[in-house]
Amino acid sequence: MCDLLGPSIDSFRTGAKQVGRVTLIAWRTDGREIETGRLVLKFLLPFDGTGNDAFLRQFATQKLVRVTLTSPPRPLASWLSATVANTHSVQPDPALESKAAELLDPPPLQHPVLGTFTHHPRLVWQYHGNAKWGGADVDIVLQGHGPFADIEDLNAQADAAAAILEREAQFSTSLERVLLTDAYSEWSNEWRNPSHGEVSAKEYARRLRLCAMYPSTEGYFEFELDAGDLHDGHFVMAYGTMAAGFEGAGVPG
C-alpha cells in the first residue's frame, strides 16, 4: 500500500533514464505476514518521459499495488529499498488494506491540558494542536520521526508545550529580547531594502507574528514567526531552552 506522500520522479543527467520512487507503508512478500514501515520502491523510467504519467497514476497515494522486485529489499538508513522489475494487476487483500488504513489515519491524540491534536494530512507521524499566546492562536506541532506516530513521545512533547505556555510571561520577555537584538540585526544587515522604509527594532518585532511552536522532550523548543515581506517570505525561527529561555532568533540558513 502506497503512503500519503505520493510518487516522485527524478532525472540526474541529460539522456539518462528517469528514476521514479514511491514508498510503501505496509506490504506482503510472497503471501507472507504483513510488514509495516517504509519500503521505498525504485523504477527506471524512459528518459523521454513517456512512462511518467502511467507511473504516477498507478502508484498514487493510498493505492494498493503489486510488483516483482529485482532482489529482496535491502536496508538503507532507516528504511528498506528495492528496485522494481515488473508491475502486475492488483489482487484484493482485505487484511493488508485494513492494516494500511489504520496506519494512514491514526486516531487523534488527547492531552489533558491542551486538548485535541490531529495528525498532519500527509505526515501521519506529525500532530497539530492549538493554543493561545498573547491572546492569538498559535499552532503547536508535535514532531514524530516517521513513518508512524510514537504516541508516548508525542504526549511528552505536548507536556513540554503545556509547560512553556504556563510560563508565557517569562518566555515572552526573552522572546522579545532576541527579536530586538539577533533577528533585527540580521534583518538590518542582510534583508533590509528601500521598500521597507525606516523600521525601528520595536516596529520590526511588532510586525513578526507568532504562528507555530515546536516543543521537544529534551528541554529545547523553537517558535516560528511570520515576518511578512520583511524577509521576502521567509520565516523567522526563535529558539531556546526551558532552563535559559530564548537564546537566539533569525532566518534559518
Side-chain angles (χ1 to χ4, degrees), residues 6-248:
S8 64
I9 299 174
D10 298 312
S11 182
F12 296 101
R13 64 184 184 275
T14 303
K17 285 184 177 294
Q18 298 188 89
V19 178
R21 288 186 176 84
V22 67
T23 300
L24 305 186
I25 197 168
W27 62 91
R28 288 186 194 270
T29 303
D30 296 329
R32 299 171 189 165
E33 293 297 315
I34 296 172
E35 298 180 66
T36 62
R38 284 191 294 178
L39 171 54
V40 178
L41 301 182
K42 183 173 71 172
F43 300 75
L44 298 181
L45 301 169
F47 75 91
D48 60 4
T50 54
N52 291 5
D53 289 345
F55 166 70
L56 294 174
R57 286 194 303 270
Q58 187 172 9
F59 294 90
T61 60
Q62 295 181 269
K63 289 289 290 287
L64 185 66
V65 298
R66 184 165 167 251
V67 300
T68 298
L69 305 179
T70 60
S71 61
R74 64 186 185 281
L76 183 65
S78 60
W79 61 89
L80 296 173
S81 177
T83 299
V84 172
N86 294 295
T87 62
H88 307 280
S89 59
V90 174
Q91 297 179 347
D93 189 330
L96 176 58
E97 294 175 72
S98 176
K99 182 61 177 179
E102 172 190 321
L103 297 171
L104 292 169
D105 189 20
L109 183 155
Q110 299 293 337
H111 189 267
V113 175
L114 301 178
T116 302
F117 288 79
T118 56
H119 69 82
H120 186 281
R122 295 177 69 207
L123 310 176
V124 296
W125 56 88
Q126 186 182 95
Y127 275 63
H128 292 249
N130 189 265
K132 295 287 186 182
W133 185 277
D137 288 335
V138 57
D139 189 20
I140 301 176
V141 184
L142 311 179
Q143 301 184 89
H145 303 290
F148 313 126
D150 180 339
I151 299 302
E152 183 177 351
D153 183 70
L154 295 175
N155 269 311
Q157 291 181 45
D159 289 341
I164 293 169
L165 291 164
E166 285 180 357
R167 297 164 58 184
E168 178 182 341
Q170 173 189 345
F171 286 129
S172 291
T173 299
S174 64
L175 174 60
E176 183 180 31
R177 174 177 53 78
V178 296
L179 296 180
L180 292 173
T181 54
D182 295 11
Y184 180 71
S185 176
E186 180 187 90
W187 175 79
S188 297
N189 294 327
E190 300 180 28
W191 297 91
R192 185 199 294 266
N193 66 60
S195 69
H196 294 138
E198 291 298 321
V199 179
S200 68
K202 284 193 173 293
E203 172 65 10
Y204 170 84
R206 187 190 67 78
R207 288 171 63 176
L208 298 182
R209 182 180 64 84
L210 176 61
C211 53
M213 175 194 305
Y214 298 82
S216 82
T217 57
E218 304 297 326
Y220 301 97
F221 54 79
E222 288 186 305
F223 278 24
E224 181 179 341
L225 300 105
D226 185 349
D229 64 347
L230 290 172
H231 289 276
D232 295 335
H234 292 78
F235 285 81
V236 169
M237 299 300 295
Y239 55 89
T241 67
M242 295 297 293
F246 282 94
E247 299 176 336

